[in-house]
Amino acid sequence: MMIWLLLLSSVPLSLMPSLPVQASAADLARYRVLGPATRVEREQVVATGAEIEAFGATGLDVLATPAQAIAIERLGFQVHKRPSSLASGEVDPAYHTYAEMVTAVEQIAVAYPNIVQLFSIGRSYEGRNLLAARISDNPTIDEAEPEALFVGMYHAREPLSGEMILDLLRMLTAGYDPNQPEAAITRLVNEREIILVFMLNPDGREYDIETGFYRYWRKNRQPDPMLEGINGTDPNRNHSYRWGGLGASSNPFSETYRGIAPRSAPEVAAIEDFVISRVISGTQQIRVAISFHTYGALVLWPYGHQGVAECGLPAADMFNIDRAVFRQLGREMARLINYTPLQSCELYQTNGDFSDWAYGTQRIFAFTFEMYPAIDQVGFGDGFYPPGSVIERETQRVRPAVLYLLEQAECPYALVAATPTRCAAVNWKIWIPHLRHEQ
Ligand SMILES: [Zn+2]
């Protein structure tokens, strides 16, 4: 850590003039804040109005106005302006555009018709297909197999997350050998139904890259009905579980704008409806899920909505055994790929995100991965657009965690239950009492 500390160029913030609170986007800059290590300290940074973009063991990367940066410095933290700007960076052609992603996925599907079925979960605001793949033996038949869901690119400026889903498609197809049914990937494809959603936010992705230079666009491309122009909704704050309140913004200009209503973003409504459609005879078929983001090298699990006082304590609507399963799965996945495991609210409060919704309403063991880099692994740059040269390394790095989660999807409770055979011995639906109640 000391090495990159020395590379930082400190800005004499005390010399900067104070600005009005409602600064325009042009005033925003990216800063690294060194020092905040606890949830309370991170909340202090958030309270200045700065937006946290990534977390690390030693501090935070934030988007802030100069006035907010001064306020953060007054909290006693070191604030360093980072060299990247809102308009810098040529688009890296190593990452797939939406059209290239569709083509790449279709080519693989054609090559592996016996285990891949493509479908659409709906359309984006601008009408793009939200492309998905189901991977299983007999992929066109709904078999009684545990299902797993992996979603990429909720956020437009996180293209590595879309490459991650494509990598999973490649791993599961190239690794499938019907002549070796006991090999791990073949067995998991045969015994699971694996659903991949490649780019949940294709409109944002296209907008982010259309000039040839990255725009750092995060949200979807939905106009706010009360405002002129397109401000966009943060799809990962728009889910319909505990939407609103602290942990997301009601300001349409915020990077974490929650939207005008729960699931008002068509992309969010599409994925919620798809997941809900997997409830068969009162039993949610999807047992595990990962939503991929960048950056921070973190494995996160619900809940994010718990405030400072409640974080770490049992939530009223989470079973203790589920808390234990989340911890066990999260820690083991993080260990396998050298990420940091955390309950989401340990970072700071969020609500309306996918993982909270997927567990809070569907009892899915849903995780958020903040992929490469960790903020102190890349010196001083920001981590939204890693060079194309690391795509293969950083997506394949995550594979062991995904394979582990797929393995555990058969019975996550076996990790913590006194009687590990319980999942096999009883019907999943009966074993999870709250699903029975929701019938
Ligand atoms: Zn994200």
Side-chain angles (χ1 to χ4, degrees):
M1 190 197 88
M2 289 312 293
I3 292 165
W4 63 262
L5 249 180
L6 295 172
L7 299 174
L8 303 181
S9 59
S10 186
V11 171
L13 289 167
S14 53
L15 302 178
M16 290 184 179
S18 259
L19 291 179
V21 176
Q22 284 295 338
S24 75
D27 297 320
L28 292 170
R30 297 194 143 75
Y31 299 88
R32 180 156 298 161
V33 182
L34 297 176
T38 67
R39 161 80 190 253
V40 171
E41 289 172 337
R42 286 187 281 266
E43 297 281 359
Q44 291 176 330
V45 174
V46 172
T48 67
E51 303 213 18
I52 294 181
E53 295 193 322
F55 305 86
T58 53
L60 308 167
D61 284 351
V62 303
L63 185 66
T65 64
Q68 289 163 344
I70 291 168
I72 294 168
E73 205 171 42
R74 285 188 184 137
L75 292 168
F77 303 126
Q78 288 181 50
V79 179
H80 302 273
K81 192 166 182 177
R82 294 190 287 138
S84 57
S85 77
L86 288 169
S88 76
E90 230 173 306
V91 169
D92 188 336
Y95 289 88
H96 290 74
T97 65
Y98 171 74
E100 289 167 349
M101 180 68 80
V102 171
T103 300
V105 169
E106 286 176 348
Q107 282 173 351
I108 295 172
V110 166
Y112 296 91
N114 294 333
I115 55 170
V116 179
Q117 184 202 24
L118 299 187
F119 63 106
S120 168
I121 63 167
R123 287 186 179 274
S124 67
Y125 179 81
E126 293 178 343
R128 293 184 176 86
N129 253 327
L130 302 174
L131 181 65
R134 179 180 290 102
I135 297 132
S136 191
D137 61 340
N138 311 313
T140 58
I141 301 169
D142 184 17
E143 299 177 298
E145 295 169 339
E147 298 183 17
L149 172 65
F150 302 96
V151 187
M153 209 180 277
Y154 260 79
H155 292 141
R157 66 187 176 195
E158 302 174 9
L160 190 61
S161 68
E163 301 299 324
M164 184 68 230
I165 308 297
L166 181 61
D167 178 73
L168 293 181
L169 180 64
R170 288 176 174 145
M171 174 185 78
L172 295 167
T173 51
Y176 185 77
D177 181 355
N179 297 319
Q180 295 194 28
E182 293 310 312
I185 289 175
T186 306
R187 184 170 45 78
L188 288 170
V189 169
N190 285 340
E191 297 177 1
R192 304 284 181 273
E193 291 178 26
I194 302 159
I195 299 139
L196 307 178
V197 177
F198 296 89
M199 285 189 184
L200 192 73
N201 181 8
D203 299 353
R205 167 66 177 158
E206 291 303 290
Y207 179 71
D208 191 45
I209 61 177
E210 71 182 6
T211 66
F213 292 87
Y214 291 121
R215 283 180 157 130
Y216 283 84
W217 189 258
R218 168 182 167 98
K219 300 183 282 184
N220 76 354
R221 292 294 294 158
Q222 191 171 12
D224 188 283
M226 306 298 287
L227 296 166
E228 287 185 17
I230 295 168
N231 299 289
T233 293
D234 182 346
N236 210 35
R237 298 292 186 277
N238 186 243
H239 277 284
S240 61
Y241 170 78
R242 291 189 176 241
W243 178 91
L246 299 171
S249 180
S250 58
N251 174 358
F253 296 104
S254 166
E255 294 283 6
T256 58
Y257 176 49
R258 65 169 77 112
I260 53 166
R263 48 178 285 157
S264 55
E267 301 86 358
V268 171
I271 196 157
E272 286 196 2
D273 286 345
F274 169 73
V275 171
I276 291 166
S277 79
R278 299 313 303 145
V279 177
I280 310 290
S281 304
T283 300
Q284 174 56 259
Q285 304 297 299
I286 300 170
R287 296 183 185 175
V288 296
I290 301 174
S291 164
F292 288 100
H293 293 253
T294 59
Y295 54 98
L298 303 169
V299 172
L300 306 172
W301 58 87
Y303 284 122
H305 71 70
Q306 289 178 288
V308 174
E310 302 115 45
C311 189
L313 299 173
D317 61 346
M318 182 182 283
F319 283 86
N320 280 333
I321 191 168
D322 290 2
R323 279 182 77 214
V325 169
F326 268 122
R327 251 195 323 260
Q328 196 77 20
L329 288 173
R331 286 174 181 173
E332 181 60 12
M333 286 194 289
R335 190 190 66 77
L336 286 166
I337 62 175
N338 195 26
Y339 279 23
T340 300
L342 282 173
Q343 186 184 341
S344 184
C345 66
E346 292 178 63
L347 292 178
Y348 76 115
Q349 195 169 6
T350 56
N351 52 34
D353 87 339
F354 168 77
S355 298
D356 270 22
W357 176 82
Y359 176 78
T361 72
Q362 304 296 309
R363 304 305 170 202
I364 295 167
F365 289 108
F367 292 83
T368 298
F369 277 33
E370 296 285 355
M371 294 178 68
Y372 172 89
I375 73 166
D376 48 5
Q377 276 175 345
V378 281
F380 195 34
D382 79 56
F384 288 123
Y385 304 109
S389 57
V390 307
I391 294 173
E392 189 174 331
R393 184 190 77 201
E394 290 301 326
T395 54
Q396 294 192 5
R397 171 184 177 179
V398 174
R399 288 179 173 188
V402 170
L403 290 171
Y404 173 79
L405 190 64
L406 286 171
E407 194 73 61
Q408 300 306 321
E410 177 70 27
C411 182
Y413 292 100
L415 291 168
V416 298
T419 53
T421 57
R422 196 163 176 182
C423 278
V426 299
N427 182 298
W428 184 266
K429 175 172 56 177
I430 297 166
W431 176 211
I432 307 175
H434 36 278
L435 275 180
R436 194 178 55 205
H437 295 152
E438 283 167 9
Q439 261 186 280

